[in-house]
Amino acid sequence: MKKIFYILLLAFICFSCKKNTETISKRGLVSNKAMVVSARVEASQIGADILKKGGNAFDAMVGTGLALAVSYPFAGNLGGGGFMVYRQSNGTVGGLDYREKAPLAATKNMYLDESGEVIPKKSTLGSLAIGVPGSIAGLFDVHEKFGNLPIKDILEPVIALAKKGVVVTKNQAKRLNHYQDQFRLVNNDSLLFYKVWKENDTIKYPALANTLERILKNGRDEFYKGETAKILVKFIHEHGGIITEDDLAKYQAKWRKPITFSYDDLKVISMSPPSSGGICLAQIMKMIEPYNLSEYGHNSLKAIQVITEAERRAYADRSYYLGDPDFVSIPTDQLISDAYLKSRMSDFSFDKATPSSSVSHGNIEVVESNETTHYSIIDQLGNAISVTTTLNGAYGSKLYCSELGFFLNNEMDDFSSKPGVPNMFGLIGAEANSIAPEKRMLSSMTPTIVEKNGDLFMSVGTPGGSTIITSVLQTILNVHEFNMTMQEAVDAPRFHHQWLPDVIQMEPHSFDKNLIKELENRGYSVNEKDSPVIGKVDGILVLNDKRLEGGADHRGDDAAVGF
Ligand code: GLY
């Protein structure tokens, strides 16, 4: 009898140990004071080192952002732009828009042929796809307003990384090999990327190190008015582009008031236009708030239906109403008001899908993309930032300025080249997002900070084009509604609906076949083929005991570093 008791006791202890181990293993990195999570460990490490030597989250933003330009040229950049949302330790919130702008010589119909049809690839590949880059302006504005350390202390480790070189990961080797044909199509000279890459090769970036050294010496204006500006404009003109020295000299980043809204006991702070992220996220969350998602269960039939229907309606509004607020008037208050959103969901029924054709018209295809990059930082003082930055497509326009050592964006494709014709993310735009000189193209980037009961709770964001908004949404819901850890929330399978095409994109092999059948029985189309991954979310969660948990998406090479 005694023996049986001991065996049962042992079995119980083993079971408890296993449970504990499993629980712990599902947590991301936990640290006591500060953390950086980004697409590459080198960039997270440089950001964390900056924090360790007395820098704040804003200093670390500059270092991490530039280190991503070195270690993750797929999306990290000097030749692109982005958005940042912050929450200071005293609760003050704000946002920075360093989105690219259309050049002065841009015209509304610049991507159309004589019969008014969109010319394939003109807005995505090569010099005419480039918007005036905003990254250096944004990073220097952040440093000037909030930085604590001298810029030298921030840039020197990045320059050292560019000189020493970056070890190529398996994912990176695959991407570099895949895109070489496109690099050859648009570049006149031979690029340092022209070889067959293997995991553990090293790439050194001496030209980029020189550019960063000049920027360190001469400041922000080196990029917009100095030797770098002259080299860049000459290079773009040699490749048929229209960006001038005047375009660069006129570029300014803009501080913007973020979109804020409540959801249960959360306050969500996200990016305002010209990103659609904050408004769309607010619309979707306010539309689903009345439904009891936690009771329905994570990725259950009912939860997917409610979220899908809210996404459908929000993306239809995005298409019609949103653009650069400096050029178009956006009815933000109305779009996120309770009354309006309640009326938007009034025709929703669990019995049957609402066809997108009854919300609006169109027939298009979506191609998924992850060519943006996100990083989150919380510092030892309690400041939080959430940054999403991009070249748009993979390696942007594929144009690489060898003399300066960086790729140039193809952000012009985020404008609506022609009303009703989808861009590379399958997104349809209208007049609000048409091209005009100096206008900013509409974005989906959704850098987001969440408070819970008035305290800092989460910093989160992701790459992924049109799927950015819905990936951020699901990550917040996974923690708040379904009690997941940050790492579990980031890793959980995701789905996406964007009004048009009228289809639920699902990550393949991640959803139960019976569930998909049930959705199809109710009139939903499901596509598991075109989106091998939806988003690559990076986030930081403040735990109950005030320690920080990082969630670095297993879908990429993402890494959390903290102390
Ligand atoms: N280029 C992707 C976005 O801004 O949404």
Side-chain angles (χ1 to χ4, degrees), residues 81-83 99-100 274-277 318 369 371-372 388-393 410-414 423-425 427 441-446 463-469:
F83 296 97
R99 180 72 159 164
E100 299 91 328
S275 180
S276 61
R318 176 197 193 278
S369 146
E371 295 107 359
T372 300
T388 314
T389 177
T390 190
L391 290 165
N392 195 23
N410 60 349
E411 218 71 62
M412 290 295 283
D413 188 63
D414 270 347
N423 73 357
M424 63 183 278
F425 300 111
L427 289 167
M441 52 298 283
L442 185 62
S443 171
S444 299
M445 290 190 270
T446 315
S466 55
T467 67
I468 290 176
I469 302 163

Side-chain angles (χ1 to χ4, degrees), residues 301-364:
L301 177 65
K302 285 178 99 174
I304 292 175
Q305 281 186 275
V306 172
I307 293 170
T308 296
E309 294 297 342
E311 289 175 355
R312 185 197 309 280
R313 288 156 176 82
Y315 276 81
D317 280 354
R318 176 197 193 278
S319 165
Y320 186 74
Y321 289 109
L322 303 190
D324 183 344
D326 296 342
F327 284 72
V328 292
S329 153
I330 300 171
T332 304
D333 292 344
Q334 190 192 344
L335 284 171
I336 62 174
S337 74
D338 289 339
Y340 173 70
L341 294 169
K342 198 169 164 210
S343 77
R344 284 295 267 164
M345 282 297 267
S346 59
D347 57 348
F348 162 63
S349 153
F350 281 111
D351 297 337
K352 208 163 156 283
T354 313
S356 286
S357 55
S358 75
V359 179
S360 193
H361 300 282
N363 184 19
I364 53 165

Side-chain angles (χ1 to χ4, degrees), residues 227-244:
E227 188 189 338
T228 302
K230 289 185 179 38
I231 296 170
L232 185 56
V233 167
K234 183 166 169 282
F235 171 81
I236 292 173
H237 284 182
E238 280 166 6
H239 287 79
I242 56 174
I243 290 178
T244 61

Side-chain angles (χ1 to χ4, degrees), residues 138-432:
L139 295 177
F140 272 78
D141 279 9
V142 165
H143 185 254
E144 190 181 314
K145 190 166 166 139
F146 294 117
N148 198 24
L149 288 183
I151 196 79
K152 185 170 173 290
D153 291 6
I154 298 171
L155 259 63
E156 273 177 351
V158 181
I159 294 168
L161 177 69
K163 285 182 179 165
K164 179 172 150 247
V166 180
V167 176
V168 173
T169 64
K170 198 170 163 191
N171 286 332
Q172 200 169 19
K174 211 164 113 190
R175 284 192 297 259
L176 282 170
N177 293 333
H178 176 80
Y179 283 103
Q180 275 186 42
D181 287 349
Q182 291 189 45
F183 298 165
R184 284 175 213 273
L185 270 181
V186 298
N187 287 283
N188 299 341
D189 52 356
S190 174
L191 304 193
L192 63 81
F193 301 107
Y194 291 172
K195 62 166 264 194
V196 178
W197 293 96
K198 297 185 306 302
E199 188 180 3
N200 295 325
D201 284 346
T202 297
I203 316 182
K204 294 185 180 184
Y205 296 96
L208 181 53
N210 288 341
T211 302
L212 290 169
E213 266 167 353
R214 278 199 310 277
I215 291 174
L216 171 57
K217 186 162 162 238
N218 303 321
R220 170 215 186 271
D221 279 355
E222 169 61 32
F223 190 92
Y224 292 97
K225 296 177 182 165
E227 188 189 338
T228 302
K230 289 185 179 38
I231 296 170
L232 185 56
V233 167
K234 183 166 169 282
F235 171 81
I236 292 173
H237 284 182
E238 280 166 6
H239 287 79
I242 56 174
I243 290 178
T244 61
E245 286 186 33
D246 208 17
D247 277 310
L248 289 175
K250 284 183 89 162
Y251 186 88
Q252 296 289 339
K254 267 199 149 175
W255 294 98
R256 303 220 187 245
K257 191 167 166 239
I259 299 291
T260 52
F261 61 94
S262 64
Y263 179 92
D264 295 346
D265 56 357
L266 304 181
K267 179 176 160 195
V268 182
I269 303 139
S270 192
M271 195 62 215
S272 48
S275 180
S276 61
I279 290 184
C280 275
L281 187 64
Q283 286 195 304
I284 298 168
M285 290 189 81
K286 297 305 276 182
M287 279 189 267
I288 65 180
E289 194 178 22
Y291 298 87
N292 197 339
L293 291 192
S294 55
E295 193 186 289
Y296 302 158
H298 176 246
N299 282 349
S300 62
L301 177 65
K302 285 178 99 174
I304 292 175
Q305 281 186 275
V306 172
I307 293 170
T308 296
E309 294 297 342
E311 289 175 355
R312 185 197 309 280
R313 288 156 176 82
Y315 276 81
D317 280 354
R318 176 197 193 278
S319 165
Y320 186 74
Y321 289 109
L322 303 190
D324 183 344
D326 296 342
F327 284 72
V328 292
S329 153
I330 300 171
T332 304
D333 292 344
Q334 190 192 344
L335 284 171
I336 62 174
S337 74
D338 289 339
Y340 173 70
L341 294 169
K342 198 169 164 210
S343 77
R344 284 295 267 164
M345 282 297 267
S346 59
D347 57 348
F348 162 63
S349 153
F350 281 111
D351 297 337
K352 208 163 156 283
T354 313
S356 286
S357 55
S358 75
V359 179
S360 193
H361 300 282
N363 184 19
I364 53 165
E365 265 177 30
V366 68
V367 180
E368 182 42 31
S369 146
N370 281 293
E371 295 107 359
T372 300
T373 190
H374 175 83
Y375 55 105
S376 284
I377 302 176
I378 296 181
D379 69 18
Q380 58 280 26
L381 308 166
N383 299 304
I385 60 144
S386 180
V387 184
T388 314
T389 177
T390 190
L391 290 165
N392 195 23
Y395 307 102
S397 62
K398 321 291 185 273
L399 257 191
Y400 182 81
C401 180
S402 292
E403 199 176 343
L404 297 176
F406 58 83
F407 282 101
L408 289 150
N409 70 80
N410 60 349
E411 218 71 62
M412 290 295 283
D413 188 63
D414 270 347
F415 279 117
S416 172
S417 293
K418 181 182 174 181
V421 177
N423 73 357
M424 63 183 278
F425 300 111
L427 289 167
I428 290 183
E431 190 52 38

